[in-house]
């Protein structure tokens, strides 16, 4: 089994400073993919830039918590507040999704609306992932797979981060979480395999979200294992609260600097692995 690396920027469309970073990093050759928030404030600018970046693979970043909804608030009153924003109470909402059929119908409508919005961009859909990895919830994963099938979803991200990386980052809470989520991750992978859905073998970026600097990228590249590895970042030309109130501790500009680093580019160039997006893997039988 050979090695393949996907380097993704999440939150594409959240802010023009994010979009600028995606464009710079794509042109530099390290960033291979971006996940688009179709209802975010700068989505139109992101789409315009993406159309000029032939080497950038673009996927859908489904937002079902802590973000703006696609549908009008009166159509999804159980999901969004009167101004169309969904809250971040993921545990509570996850329980509600199990209990209330009417809420599940609203959730399904919002997922469909975001897929439809992506389809209207005319961009080729490279992958789907979910903000805050909310598709660990089995109900959301079921809906994603069922609705996504109609839109030709080629791949779904699995948030499986190796424990060694969380521990090395000093985030012992994340390391413990990675262990506890093990059974859920295994279940997700089984369901994706049954659905014949392409997915990554592992993911880096959870424990060090907002702090994926040059040193961390070089560490990952030096230990890249066989299979499909995705590294995700949140690069931007500005940092912290300038991008979003919930990201006051994020070092977006440092993550952009890591993607532009000559040392990172050299490590990728010297590595004996493929480098691209999920759609570049469709015909690859060695993984």
């Amino acid at each position: 089994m050979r090695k393949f690396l996907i380097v993704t920027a999440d939150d594409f469309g959240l802010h023009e400073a994010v979009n600028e970073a995606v464009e710079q990093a794509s042109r530099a050759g390290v960033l291979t993919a971006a996940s688009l928030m179709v209802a975010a404030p700068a989505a139109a600018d992101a789409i315009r830039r993406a159309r000029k970046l032939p080497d950038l693979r673009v996927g859908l970043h489904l937002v079902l918590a802590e973000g703006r909804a696609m549908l009008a608030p009166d159509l999804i009153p159980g999901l969004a507040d009167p101004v169309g924003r969904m809250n971040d109470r993921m545990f509570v909402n996850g329980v509600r999704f199990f209990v209330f059929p009417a809420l599940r119908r609203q959730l399904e409508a919002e997922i469909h609306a975001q897929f439809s919005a992506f389809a209207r961009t005319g961009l080729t859909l490279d992958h789907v992932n979910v903000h805050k990895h909310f598709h660990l919830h089995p109900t959301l994963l079921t809906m994603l797979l069922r609705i996504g099938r109609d839109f030709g979803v080629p791949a779904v991200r699995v948030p499986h981060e190796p424990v060694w990386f969380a521990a090395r980052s000093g985030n012992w809470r994340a390391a413990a979480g990675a262990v506890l989520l093990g059974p859920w991750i295994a279940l997700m992978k089984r369901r994706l395999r049954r659905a014949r859905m392409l997915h990554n073998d592992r993911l880096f970026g959870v424990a060090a979200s907002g702090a994926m600097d040059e040193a961390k990228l070089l560490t990952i590249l030096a230990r890249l294992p066989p299979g499909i590895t995705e590294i995700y970042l949140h690069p931007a030309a500005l940092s912290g609260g300038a991008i979003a109130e919930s990201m006051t501790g994020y070092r977006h500009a440092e993550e952009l600097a890591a993607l532009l680093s000559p040392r990172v580019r050299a490590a990728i160039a010297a590595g004996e692995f493929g480098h691209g997006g999920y759609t570049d893997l469709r015909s690859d039988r060695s993984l």
Side-chain angles (χ1 to χ4, degrees), residues 70-80 102-103 105-107 109-110 113:
M70 195 74 212
L71 291 174
D74 60 329
L75 296 177
I76 49 170
L79 285 180
L103 184 57
R105 288 192 291 272
Q106 293 178 35
L107 181 65
E110 177 61 26

Side-chain angles (χ1 to χ4, degrees), residues 5-107:
L5 174 66
I6 300 167
V7 183
T8 307
D10 276 3
D11 299 348
F12 193 32
L14 180 61
H15 192 285
E16 287 193 9
V18 174
N19 303 345
E20 174 62 27
V22 168
E23 182 171 353
Q24 288 185 35
S26 175
R27 294 191 187 282
V30 171
L31 187 75
T32 59
S35 301
L36 177 66
M37 304 170 94
V38 291
D45 176 70
I47 294 164
R48 177 183 59 79
R49 292 175 190 259
R51 288 173 177 155
K52 300 186 298 181
L53 298 168
D55 294 329
L56 183 70
R57 308 296 183 239
V58 183
L60 173 62
H61 193 52
L62 274 171
V63 178
L64 303 167
E66 196 182 54
R68 186 181 294 182
M70 195 74 212
L71 291 174
D74 60 329
L75 296 177
I76 49 170
L79 285 180
D81 64 21
V83 297
R85 186 162 183 85
M86 295 173 283
N87 64 49
D88 62 354
R89 298 192 296 274
M90 293 170 61
F91 178 81
V92 172
N93 290 337
V95 174
R96 293 169 68 225
F97 296 156
F98 273 127
V99 174
F100 300 113
L103 184 57
R104 290 197 295 273
R105 288 192 291 272
Q106 293 178 35
L107 181 65

Side-chain angles (χ1 to χ4, degrees), residues 212-222 231 233 258-259 264:
M212 293 288 284
D213 56 21
E214 180 192 68
K216 291 185 179 66
L217 293 190
L218 291 173
T219 296
I220 295 166
L221 293 172
I231 302 173
L233 305 92
L259 291 171
V264 171

Side-chain angles (χ1 to χ4, degrees), residues 181-257:
L181 285 174
W184 291 95
I185 295 294
L187 174 62
M188 174 182 280
K189 287 186 175 181
R190 284 198 300 271
R191 293 187 63 189
L192 292 174
R193 285 195 295 270
R194 285 201 301 267
R196 298 181 181 276
M197 182 66 66
L198 180 66
H199 62 82
N200 55 306
D201 294 301
R202 67 203 58 80
L203 179 73
F204 291 96
V206 181
S209 187
M212 293 288 284
D213 56 21
E214 180 192 68
K216 291 185 179 66
L217 293 190
L218 291 173
T219 296
I220 295 166
L221 293 172
R223 296 182 58 170
L224 201 70
I228 302 168
T229 298
E230 182 178 1
I231 302 173
Y232 82 103
L233 305 92
H234 299 86
L238 302 172
S239 287
I243 302 300
E245 291 182 5
S246 61
M247 293 179 162
T248 54
Y250 277 47
R251 305 197 299 270
H252 298 86
E254 287 185 31
E255 296 201 346
L256 172 58

Side-chain angles (χ1 to χ4, degrees), residues 77-209:
L79 285 180
D81 64 21
V83 297
R85 186 162 183 85
M86 295 173 283
N87 64 49
D88 62 354
R89 298 192 296 274
M90 293 170 61
F91 178 81
V92 172
N93 290 337
V95 174
R96 293 169 68 225
F97 296 156
F98 273 127
V99 174
F100 300 113
L103 184 57
R104 290 197 295 273
R105 288 192 291 272
Q106 293 178 35
L107 181 65
E108 193 162 336
E110 177 61 26
I111 292 172
H112 192 281
Q114 292 188 35
F115 270 109
S116 295
F118 189 97
R120 290 194 296 273
T121 69
L123 298 170
T124 299
L125 182 63
D126 180 76
H127 61 269
V128 175
N129 52 54
V130 182
H131 193 48
K132 303 293 185 182
H133 313 298
F134 208 178
H135 58 314
L136 277 167
H137 192 297
T139 298
L140 294 186
L141 183 60
T142 296
M143 291 181 181
L144 187 161
L145 290 173
R146 184 174 68 249
I147 297 168
R149 185 169 54 242
D150 295 335
F151 290 91
V153 171
V156 173
R157 174 191 288 168
V158 174
H160 179 195
E161 185 166 67
V163 175
W164 71 260
F165 182 72
R168 187 184 182 96
S169 299
N171 192 335
W172 293 102
R173 181 178 177 182
V179 173
L180 294 173
L181 285 174
W184 291 95
I185 295 294
L187 174 62
M188 174 182 280
K189 287 186 175 181
R190 284 198 300 271
R191 293 187 63 189
L192 292 174
R193 285 195 295 270
R194 285 201 301 267
R196 298 181 181 276
M197 182 66 66
L198 180 66
H199 62 82
N200 55 306
D201 294 301
R202 67 203 58 80
L203 179 73
F204 291 96
V206 181
S209 187

